[in-house]
Amino acid sequence: HLPEHPCIVESHHDNIGFFNDNFNLGVNWYKSFFPTKSYKKKIEKKHGKFLAFDVTTRYMENKRTAENIKKIKPEIKIIVMLRNPIDRAYSQFHVSVKDNDEQLGFDEAVNEEMDRLKQEIEEYGDNKLREFPKARRHYIRKSLYAMQLRPWFDIFPRDNILVLSTEMFKENEEQIYKEIFKFLDIPEIRIRDKQHMQKGEYTPMNKKVHKELGDFFKKHNEELFDLIGKRFDW
């Protein structure tokens, strides 16, 4: 709902994927998804500032994406919204089932992936974890947030990255919007649209698997909290 703010305009659609998959198409191709210079000047004249944003969920996965952004927009502001890693993994699994991309049960799929990740860490260290082969679903790997975000903190100033959680947003969205507007250096407004993205309704996760995932993610979550300088209630 950020485009409710008079200074903010969104791209024509989400998941453009310019800085990861489509960088070879060039900056002019990317610019075609945003308002014209004349519209930008109109907004700047009327409201003092113009900001546009691109939402692409897979940007976070790859260091090369951050490097590409640095080449084009080194002063960019980056907002990352993270979900409890266990809930995120379970949600992705159900999307894969719905899309007929998953034949295994959740328990079997995550146990198989955890075994594979532990083996990769022993053999190659964390660097191997930054690879996301398309042949696999990566329920666990995509929830290793510190591993994915660390290169971004190396490439961009810490003050240019704001990391939030969906749980905090659900608990106090007004405060989160205030934090975002301060981060973007624009006047606060009250967001009126309270509609949230609908979450899927799933059968409860096996308690044993939930505990195993909690134990697995504990170390990785602590690495994230150290990196971003704040804690989430995970």
Side-chain angles (χ1 to χ4, degrees):
H1 306 306
L2 287 178
E4 278 193 36
H5 197 291
C7 296
I8 299 178
V9 177
E10 62 187 323
S11 58
H12 292 171
H13 59 263
D14 291 344
N15 290 306
I16 298 170
F18 171 64
F19 291 104
N20 55 355
D21 296 332
N22 297 308
F23 197 63
N24 62 303
L25 297 178
V27 176
N28 287 334
W29 179 84
Y30 185 56
K31 286 181 177 179
S32 70
F33 291 90
F34 295 93
T36 61
K37 286 183 179 179
S38 61
Y39 184 81
K40 175 183 176 181
K41 289 178 180 177
K42 180 181 175 182
I43 296 296
E44 286 176 333
K45 184 176 180 180
K46 186 174 182 180
H47 299 290
K49 196 165 187 176
F50 173 89
L51 297 172
F53 68 90
D54 159 13
V55 178
T56 299
T57 54
R58 288 187 55 244
Y59 277 167
M60 194 172 101
E61 296 173 7
N62 199 307
K63 179 182 179 181
R64 188 181 70 254
T65 302
E67 293 169 341
N68 288 341
I69 293 173
K70 182 77 170 181
K71 294 174 187 174
I72 306 297
K73 295 288 289 184
E75 76 285 3
I76 201 165
K77 292 290 187 81
I78 299 158
I79 300 174
V80 185
M81 181 78 84
L82 303 176
R83 185 179 182 184
N84 180 306
I86 300 175
D87 296 338
R88 196 219 64 80
Y90 200 45
S91 175
Q92 184 194 345
F93 168 79
H94 282 281
V95 171
S96 296
V97 170
K98 184 179 178 181
D99 293 342
N100 294 317
D101 288 333
E102 182 60 79
Q103 282 72 48
L104 300 178
F106 182 69
D107 303 10
E108 187 179 358
V110 297
N111 282 324
E112 180 184 283
E113 185 178 354
M114 280 194 289
D115 290 342
R116 187 170 65 247
L117 290 177
K118 288 173 183 175
Q119 183 177 346
E120 286 183 12
I121 292 171
E122 287 177 8
E123 292 184 16
Y124 306 104
D126 286 353
N127 287 336
K128 184 73 173 178
L129 295 179
R130 294 194 174 98
E131 299 176 12
F132 289 83
K134 291 185 178 180
R136 294 190 173 124
R137 304 272 75 82
H138 309 300
Y139 306 121
I140 306 301
R141 196 184 303 244
K142 286 187 177 183
S143 288
L144 302 179
Y145 301 135
M147 175 270 295
Q148 295 172 73
L149 283 176
R150 194 169 287 110
W152 293 76
F153 278 84
D154 291 339
I155 291 169
F156 294 98
R158 184 169 290 267
D159 290 344
N160 283 31
I161 305 176
L162 176 63
V163 183
L164 306 166
S165 79
T166 58
E167 293 81 13
M168 289 170 59
F169 180 70
K170 185 177 180 181
E171 186 177 315
N172 192 346
E173 64 180 72
E174 191 170 326
Q175 180 57 41
I176 294 298
Y177 279 123
K178 285 182 179 180
E179 198 172 338
I180 290 172
F181 296 145
K182 182 180 179 181
F183 173 69
L184 297 176
D185 192 26
I186 54 178
E188 288 182 14
I189 68 161
R190 192 178 189 87
I191 298 294
R192 300 190 181 282
D193 193 338
K194 302 298 182 183
Q195 184 177 354
H196 287 194
M197 184 181 294
Q198 294 298 312
K199 293 194 296 184
E201 296 294 328
Y202 316 128
T203 55
M205 189 185 304
N206 180 296
K207 290 182 179 179
K208 180 175 179 290
V209 174
H210 192 283
K211 184 182 183 308
E212 289 173 352
L213 286 174
D215 293 341
F216 180 86
F217 282 123
K218 187 173 182 179
K219 168 182 173 287
H220 298 283
N221 289 343
E222 289 299 324
E223 289 178 4
L224 171 70
F225 302 150
D226 288 343
L227 178 67
I228 65 177
K230 66 169 76 169
R231 301 185 68 84
F232 301 138
D233 188 18
W234 293 344

